[in-house]
Amino acid sequence: MFNIEVKENILNSAKEIALKQGITKINIRAVAKNSGIAIGSVYNYYPKKDDLLMAVIEDFWTEALAEIDFKNVDGGNFFEKISIIYGSMYEYFHSFKENWLEQLSLLNEQEKKLGRKKENEYFSKIHAMIINLMDDDENVRSCEWNNVISKEKTAEFIFDNMIIMFKKDESNPEILIEVLKKIMTN
């Protein structure tokens, strides 16, 4: 019988390792030692290291987005909201000892593939949230969208560039915001 508290303890232990040492340091033995739970018990909840890594990645994105209410972000217009969202995510990423996004690139090929799949689920949600923010701002909503510059492609562009800027440790999204204003306002 599974115990949710034990499973949460294991996940929290794995997250602690990722936070302090980097995601590549997560393995069943280290998590068992860190959590004080027998290795066999860890395997009962996470049969493979990949399962544990995917749980950590999923939790990472869940927490990164938890503080951000995309619909009610403080700020009047779309560009201010994107700037606030960027700042919140930037601060969250900086809570890790190593650059989280760079750490993901150090995983083995199978782990990267699984990690990208999990991340893409979250990225799709983020893209949809950005589109909702576009729809909430009259000036952006009335933008002349087309096949090349659609709302969907623009949402992807925005988040892809945020990711690039996070990797470069850019604390200020000003250049992205100014480019978006040029593209999206008349």
Side-chain angles (χ1 to χ4, degrees):
M1 179 141 151
F2 290 111
N3 180 326
I4 193 73
E5 290 175 11
V6 172
K7 188 172 185 176
E8 286 178 12
N9 186 12
I10 294 167
L11 180 59
N12 287 335
S13 179
K15 288 174 13 187
E16 184 179 321
I17 291 169
L19 181 68
K20 292 180 179 175
Q21 300 172 31
I23 194 168
T24 59
K25 301 296 184 192
I26 294 174
N27 63 59
I28 300 294
R29 186 174 303 282
V31 170
K33 181 178 179 185
N34 194 46
S35 65
I37 295 172
I39 292 173
S41 294
V42 174
Y43 278 112
N44 286 334
Y45 293 93
Y46 298 98
K48 299 180 299 208
K49 176 184 171 187
D50 291 351
D51 298 325
L52 186 56
L53 285 172
M54 292 314 101
V56 170
I57 290 170
E58 181 173 9
D59 191 76
F60 168 82
W61 285 107
T62 299
E63 285 187 14
L65 301 177
E67 299 298 318
I68 304 168
D69 179 352
F70 280 82
K71 204 69 166 156
N72 297 310
V73 173
D74 291 334
N77 67 44
F78 174 77
F79 306 108
E80 290 171 0
K81 290 179 180 183
I82 291 297
S83 186
I84 291 166
I85 289 166
Y86 183 90
S88 295
M89 292 182 78
Y90 179 84
E91 289 302 316
Y92 178 74
F93 290 158
H94 270 269
S95 67
F96 290 83
K97 179 180 184 284
E98 301 289 333
N99 184 316
W100 173 267
L101 298 168
E102 293 296 325
Q103 284 287 307
L104 293 175
S105 69
L106 300 175
L107 298 173
N108 71 41
E109 286 308 310
Q110 176 65 20
E111 293 165 348
K112 281 183 198 176
K113 183 178 176 181
L114 292 169
R116 277 190 218 109
K117 182 179 178 189
K118 185 56 70 180
E119 283 186 331
N120 286 336
E121 292 172 19
Y122 280 86
F123 291 0
S124 293
K125 292 176 187 178
I126 294 167
H127 297 159
M129 292 173 189
I130 292 172
I131 290 169
N132 286 336
L133 290 177
M134 289 178 197
D135 289 340
D136 288 344
D137 185 319
E138 176 61 38
N139 294 322
V140 173
R141 186 173 57 236
S142 63
C143 183
E144 292 186 25
W145 303 106
N146 59 50
N147 290 338
V148 176
I149 302 179
S150 66
K151 285 182 186 179
E152 294 77 16
K153 290 290 185 188
T154 302
E156 287 180 37
F157 172 82
I158 291 168
F159 192 65
D160 289 351
N161 278 278
M162 285 180 160
I163 295 292
I164 291 167
M165 292 172 69
F166 293 142
K167 285 182 179 180
K168 291 174 63 178
D169 198 27
E170 289 284 335
S171 62
N172 188 333
E174 182 178 51
I175 184 69
L176 175 62
I177 299 302
E178 290 304 312
V179 168
L180 293 174
K181 285 179 181 177
K182 296 240 184 248
I183 294 169
M184 300 170 79
T185 57
N186 299 328

